[in-house]
Amino acid sequence: KAGVTQTPRYLIKTRGQQVTLSCSPISGHRSVSWYQQTPGQGLQFLFEYFSETQRNKGNFPGRFSGRQFSNSRSEMNVSTLELGDSALYLCASSPGQGTGRGYGYTFGSGTRLTVV
Amino acid sequence: TQLLEQSPQFLSIQEGENLTVYCNSSSVFSSLQWYRQEPGEGPVLLVTVVTGGEVKKLKRLTFQFGDARKDSSLHITAAQPGDTGLYLCAGARNAGNMLTFGGGTRLMVKP
């Protein structure tokens, strides 16, 4: 069973540019969540998509957006990049019934974004 | 301020020693999960605990969820160099899919 695939693995962008990251979840999983991981703040929740709808959103500015396609693949977009956006962006796949009921995430390896 | 406080932040021990990592909060969680992350990779789920007072064992790892579902601990017996990594606890507040992560405990086990 294939794992969670994130592309690209590494990305270097200039301030002011925009970037799109991609995530393909485990086959059959309908929920895709995105997290930002930095040394100072740890893992912070960005948003979750379930059946093409944003179901939860974290406390990030509107420059951060995402979407999910009918095949459950998801993309996240960051516009007008700032130096502070440099981070590891992680995608997490789950069946969708809720981590509160004990279903865990399967994470991808992440996309390391560096903004210069 | 972290909703989930993990301690210690760093731990360096010799192979064969025992250790405990703590995850504490003033909030109640419907479930709590532990992950381990290695450099350059995403976190890998170790265990999920759902019931207050629940204890789960995974080989040399023992996980406990507090009776009030506000805290958890991870105990490793006879640590090995392969246990080296970043250990993260994460809590779910409801039946939804959003997790709140602790700051992590970076463990190094020296041979």
Side-chain angles (χ1 to χ4, degrees), chain A residues 9 31 33 35 37 41 43 45 48 55-57 88 90 94 96-105 107-110, chain B residues 2 30-33 35 37 40-45 48 50 86 88 92-103:
Chain A
R9 284 296 306 270
S31 170
S33 300
Y35 285 80
Q37 186 175 28
Q41 298 297 318
L43 274 111
F45 176 77
E48 182 218 358
R55 192 159 68 168
N56 287 296
K57 188 177 190 306
L88 180 67
L90 291 160
S94 70
Q97 289 93 328
T99 53
R101 297 196 181 98
Y103 293 92
Y105 285 150
F107 281 91
S109 297
Chain B
Q2 291 277 3
S30 53
S31 77
L32 200 135
Q33 302 173 11
Y35 292 81
Q37 185 178 22
E41 297 297 327
V44 175
L45 178 67
T48 299
V50 179
L86 177 67
L88 296 155
R93 299 287 297 277
N94 50 40
N97 251 14
M98 187 180 115
L99 285 179
T100 299
F101 278 83

Side-chain angles (χ1 to χ4, degrees), chain B residues 21-37:
Chain B
V21 177
Y22 298 94
C23 181
N24 295 297
S25 176
S26 57
S27 301
V28 175
F29 291 97
S30 53
S31 77
L32 200 135
Q33 302 173 11
W34 286 90
Y35 292 81
R36 189 178 88 178
Q37 185 178 22

Side-chain angles (χ1 to χ4, degrees), chain A residues 37-115:
Chain A
Q37 186 175 28
T38 60
Q41 298 297 318
L43 274 111
Q44 292 188 290
F45 176 77
L46 281 156
F47 28 65
E48 182 218 358
Y49 286 87
F50 180 80
S51 293
E52 302 179 64
T53 301
Q54 188 180 85
R55 192 159 68 168
N56 287 296
K57 188 177 190 306
N59 190 26
F60 277 81
R63 300 185 297 106
F64 292 81
S65 63
R67 59 177 175 168
Q68 187 180 33
F69 302 95
S70 58
N71 62 358
S72 292
R73 189 177 72 84
S74 176
E75 289 182 346
M76 69 163 279
N77 184 276
V78 188
S79 62
T80 320
L81 284 165
E82 300 177 0
L83 295 178
D85 296 333
S86 295
L88 180 67
Y89 289 89
L90 291 160
C91 164
S93 165
S94 70
Q97 289 93 328
T99 53
R101 297 196 181 98
Y103 293 92
Y105 285 150
T106 301
F107 281 91
S109 297
T111 294
R112 172 76 60 187
L113 172 65
T114 303
V115 182

Side-chain angles (χ1 to χ4, degrees), chain A residues 16-30:
Chain A
Q17 287 187 313
Q18 74 162 14
V19 67
T20 299
L21 312 181
S22 178
C23 172
S24 293
I26 289 174
S27 178
H29 282 193
R30 297 165 64 191

